[in-house]
Amino acid sequence: MIRTIAIAAAAIAVAALGAMYVAGVGGTEPEDRFAQCRASNVAGGAGQIGGPFELVSETGETVTDEDVIDMPTLIYFGYTFCPDVCPMDAARNAEAVDVLEERGVMVKPVFISIDPKRDTPELLGEFTDYMHPRMLGLTGSEAQVRAASKAYRTFYQAQEPEAGAEDFYLVDHSTMSYLTLPEHGFVEFFRRDVTPEQMADRVACFVDAAS
């Protein structure tokens, strides 16, 4: 079952990433085929985010980014012990995926754990099965997870546990969701305040523009 810690999660990720993300609808390159779909821009361009990774799936298989991103994919970095933010974001992404499926657009929801010490493949499988039948959970070694996080320019830092409770700690982390497309890689990020319907509209735009 999904376990949570009854402590408020610290939210320092926005400040950590603030210098990287430039919100707005303008400034896209004229040749950008996705210009009409973007609601935000990345300093330095979309090519600054994303890249190769190697992780372990919830079924225990070693997978690469090419294995995972074989269709439009929504990627979120979180952890199963997260008391509120991660479950809410994962649920929002799952709802957007269902809205898209009703419109005939298939998108894969992916949850990458930034807490490999506690998030085993089995625990991730329970979490993702609860969130969405097609959600894929990924974990790995500390080095593998750190490399994937670095590729997507995310931030996470485990808090110090209290004495005698080493297995109970929170992890500060960024809360963006990332849309990636085969042959295009990362194309857009979504903040926490985006609704499932808004996410579905923007994802559908990118998928149509890529076809």
Side-chain angles (χ1 to χ4, degrees), residues 42-60:
V42 177
Q48 300 298 310
I49 297 179
F53 60 74
E54 181 178 277
L55 293 166
V56 178
S57 77
E58 60 189 45
T59 58

Side-chain angles (χ1 to χ4, degrees), residues 2-211:
I2 302 174
R3 293 172 288 177
T4 60
I5 307 172
I7 307 174
I12 65 175
V14 174
L17 290 178
M20 179 165 293
Y21 297 102
V22 181
V25 296
T28 53
E29 295 296 328
E31 66 274 13
D32 182 3
R33 68 190 299 172
F34 302 115
Q36 75 276 16
C37 305
R38 298 192 191 281
S40 54
N41 295 322
V42 177
Q48 300 298 310
I49 297 179
F53 60 74
E54 181 178 277
L55 293 166
V56 178
S57 77
E58 60 189 45
T59 58
E61 301 171 320
T62 298
V63 295
T64 67
D65 54 293
E66 293 183 353
D67 299 318
V68 174
I69 308 171
D70 56 355
M71 63 188 300
T73 303
L74 278 170
I75 297 176
Y76 184 83
F77 289 79
Y79 66 114
T80 66
F81 286 78
C82 184
D84 48 20
V85 174
C86 303
M88 288 189 294
D89 290 350
R92 185 275 310 271
N93 291 358
E95 187 174 345
V97 166
D98 284 340
V99 172
L100 285 160
E101 186 169 356
E102 291 174 359
R103 300 179 186 180
V105 180
M106 297 299 291
V107 174
K108 178 191 294 184
V110 172
F111 187 93
I112 298 180
S113 172
I114 41 81
D115 186 20
K117 179 180 178 181
R118 294 180 295 185
D119 280 343
T120 63
E122 294 77 15
L123 185 57
L124 270 176
E126 294 177 4
F127 180 87
T128 57
D129 286 349
Y130 179 83
M131 287 295 168
H132 195 278
R134 293 194 291 104
M135 184 175 288
L136 173 65
L138 300 174
T139 183
S141 67
E142 184 64 49
Q144 288 175 318
V145 171
R146 185 66 67 179
S149 172
K150 183 177 180 180
Y152 279 82
R153 304 298 191 268
T154 71
F155 166 85
Y156 69 92
Q157 179 66 54
Q159 297 182 12
E160 287 294 327
E162 296 183 8
E166 285 72 18
D167 288 335
F168 293 90
Y169 54 86
L170 295 172
V171 182
D172 301 325
H173 63 97
S174 53
T175 58
M176 302 291 186
S177 295
Y178 302 87
L179 175 61
T180 56
L181 303 176
E183 300 181 5
H184 297 283
F186 165 81
V187 292
E188 180 69 305
F189 67 87
F190 301 91
R191 301 181 187 275
R192 298 200 65 236
D193 58 355
V194 174
T195 68
E197 292 75 17
Q198 290 170 334
M199 176 179 277
D201 288 343
R202 284 164 59 186
V203 170
C205 181
F206 279 95
V207 173
D208 288 345
S211 61

